[in-house]
Amino acid sequence: MSKYWSDVVHKLTPYVPGEQPKINNLVKLNTNENPYGPSQKVIEALKLEAAETLRLYPDPNSDALKAAIAKVHHLDSSQVFVGNGSDEVLAHVFQALLKHDLPLLFPDITYSFYPVYCGLYDINYQTIPLAEDFGICVEDYNKPNGGIIFPNPNAPTGMPLPLAKIEWLLQNNTESVVVIDEAYVDFGTESAVTLVNQYPNLLVTHTLSKARSLAGLRVGYALGSVELIEALVRVKDSFNSYPIDRFASAGAVAAMLDTDYFDETCAKVIATREALIKDLVSLGFDVLPSGANFIFAKHQTRDGAELSSALREHNIIVRHFKSPSRIAPYLRITIGTDVQSELLLKALRAILS
């Protein structure tokens, strides 16, 4: 605490990211990073960008990157907004589109950055409880609101929501913006991007940190109507007119256009996920359905915190959430390589024996 702080600082409870320990031979399954490196075309693009042109500012409009994203999603560049990671994109979304008199609605168990943004921007919000099976009931959002946001698949549960449910929500919520946060959509969940041209109040956000293996470059984007994108640009240009640097732009363009590598690595992660789920079930775990590059699992007789601590003794870290109490028994386990999965299973067999 300091007398020099602004009033808002005293009220903030910042987001706590997943642990990034510096431990040798660590099996790191706690932050949903892709276990496979980026496309070789990304590496080549970054090498080419290491030139004397770094003395120049990057393109403030990120035209090349917007064009690549638009091409992949079959949209126009005017429907694309880019930012320094999807968290920055979301921050602009909260300020530009979700700050109204009526409360913003999102699930009670979801991405924990949402209430942080509400605190930062003084946004009134209401959480909607997940169903007994941890699913999102779109019918519960059919009430007056200043906006709706949730991830699909949801985090930390990993549970996907069918596209038909999202379309029902859009059809029954025409007076405010619906934001679908698709950070993990590429691992087997239907994307709402196909609905962007039909519903002017739909905004879909994506990241290159997960499926495109670029967590270290910090690139995210949003897709929506020209009207929604303009609002984001107005906020961005009042905050930082150069959010995407030359390296990030070059690497992101290469990653977006290398669709073969993208398809290959996503398929590998999905295959490993499905195999791991079967093995965990055989060890006495209950695992929620997942459309993400992670799973949410609890053991039938052992405590989640206890298992997380025991795994750490085996140099394996997973994510455990102490609150809310409803999810305290669960572990969120990032999908790694097949080798990492086997190390995880070996450790669990030893712990549970």
Side-chain angles (χ1 to χ4, degrees):
M1 297 292 186
S2 169
K3 65 180 180 181
Y4 301 112
W5 289 6
S6 299
D7 287 344
V8 67
V9 179
H10 289 278
K11 302 174 184 177
L12 293 178
T13 303
Y15 172 75
V16 179
E19 184 184 4
Q20 297 281 3
K22 296 176 174 61
I23 301 173
N24 293 329
N25 301 316
L26 181 70
V27 178
K28 189 172 180 294
L29 305 176
N30 69 320
T31 51
N32 299 338
E33 294 146 323
N34 199 311
Y36 304 105
S39 159
Q40 189 57 39
K41 292 180 180 180
V42 171
I43 305 302
E44 293 168 2
L46 293 177
K47 289 178 180 177
L48 290 173
E49 200 60 40
E52 65 89 22
T53 49
L54 288 176
R55 65 185 177 81
L56 301 173
Y57 283 110
D59 175 8
N61 296 318
S62 302
D63 287 333
L65 177 54
K66 289 180 181 178
I69 293 169
K71 179 179 180 180
V72 168
H73 292 291
H74 308 291
L75 296 171
D76 188 82
S77 292
S78 63
Q79 296 173 283
V80 181
F81 176 82
V82 296
N84 182 28
S86 63
D87 285 338
E88 181 183 85
V89 172
L90 286 168
H92 293 332
V93 169
F94 271 71
Q95 193 168 35
L97 301 172
L98 302 178
K99 183 177 172 62
H100 301 284
D101 292 334
L102 289 171
L104 171 65
L105 308 180
F106 52 82
D108 64 335
I109 298 172
T110 194
Y111 186 28
S112 56
F113 222 139
Y114 297 164
V116 174
Y117 291 133
C118 289
L120 179 61
Y121 297 122
D122 193 25
I123 296 173
N124 179 28
Y125 71 93
Q126 178 184 347
T127 59
I128 307 297
L130 294 181
E132 199 67 32
D133 66 353
F134 289 102
I136 291 174
C137 294
V138 293
E139 295 80 7
D140 294 341
Y141 293 78
N142 193 19
K143 61 175 67 177
N145 65 78
I148 296 170
I149 184 170
F150 56 80
N152 192 37
N154 195 17
T157 66
M159 293 182 64
L161 188 67
L163 191 60
K165 291 287 188 179
I166 293 174
E167 187 160 22
W168 183 93
L169 181 63
L170 290 163
Q171 291 170 347
N172 288 275
N173 189 81
T174 59
E175 298 303 310
S176 62
V177 174
V178 176
V179 182
I180 308 298
D181 180 352
E182 294 191 341
Y184 304 102
V185 75
D186 299 310
F187 300 102
T189 297
E190 292 179 286
S191 175
V193 172
T194 56
L195 302 176
V196 162
N197 285 329
Q198 297 173 245
Y199 298 96
N201 64 326
L202 170 64
L203 191 80
V204 182
T205 62
H206 274 224
T207 178
L208 274 72
S209 297
K210 315 302 181 186
R212 289 184 167 83
S213 306
L214 289 182
L217 276 192
R218 312 309 304 129
V219 178
Y221 59 91
L223 304 167
S225 66
V226 173
E227 181 182 8
L228 298 185
I229 298 303
E230 181 184 352
L232 298 179
V233 172
R234 288 171 68 88
V235 169
K236 185 267 289 184
D237 286 348
S238 301
F239 172 74
N240 179 6
S241 57
Y242 296 100
I244 306 296
D245 64 53
R246 286 178 172 270
F247 281 109
S249 181
V253 168
M256 291 301 303
L257 297 181
D258 194 351
T259 54
D260 288 342
Y261 184 78
F262 165 77
D263 291 340
E264 175 189 341
T265 52
C266 286
K268 288 166 71 173
V269 169
I270 291 170
T272 301
R273 180 188 70 206
E274 296 309 301
L276 179 60
I277 289 173
K278 290 179 181 178
D279 287 330
L280 288 174
V281 169
S282 72
L283 291 177
F285 282 87
D286 295 324
V287 184
L288 297 185
S290 176
N293 69 332
F294 60 87
I295 56 176
F296 209 49
K298 71 170 181 177
H299 196 265
Q300 294 170 3
T301 61
R302 303 290 284 272
D303 177 70
E306 172 198 347
L307 288 175
S308 176
S309 178
L311 283 170
R312 184 177 288 269
E313 296 298 316
H314 290 259
N315 260 22
I316 299 172
I317 56 172
V318 297
R319 193 81 188 264
H320 176 254
F321 299 88
K322 296 179 181 179
S323 63
S325 59
R326 190 176 169 195
I327 63 172
Y330 286 81
L331 299 176
R332 194 195 69 188
I333 304 171
T334 300
I335 304 303
T337 63
D338 289 339
V339 171
Q340 289 175 319
S341 285
E342 190 49 49
L343 289 170
L344 170 67
L345 292 166
K346 181 181 178 180
L348 285 171
R349 291 186 188 105
I351 294 166
L352 296 170
S353 62

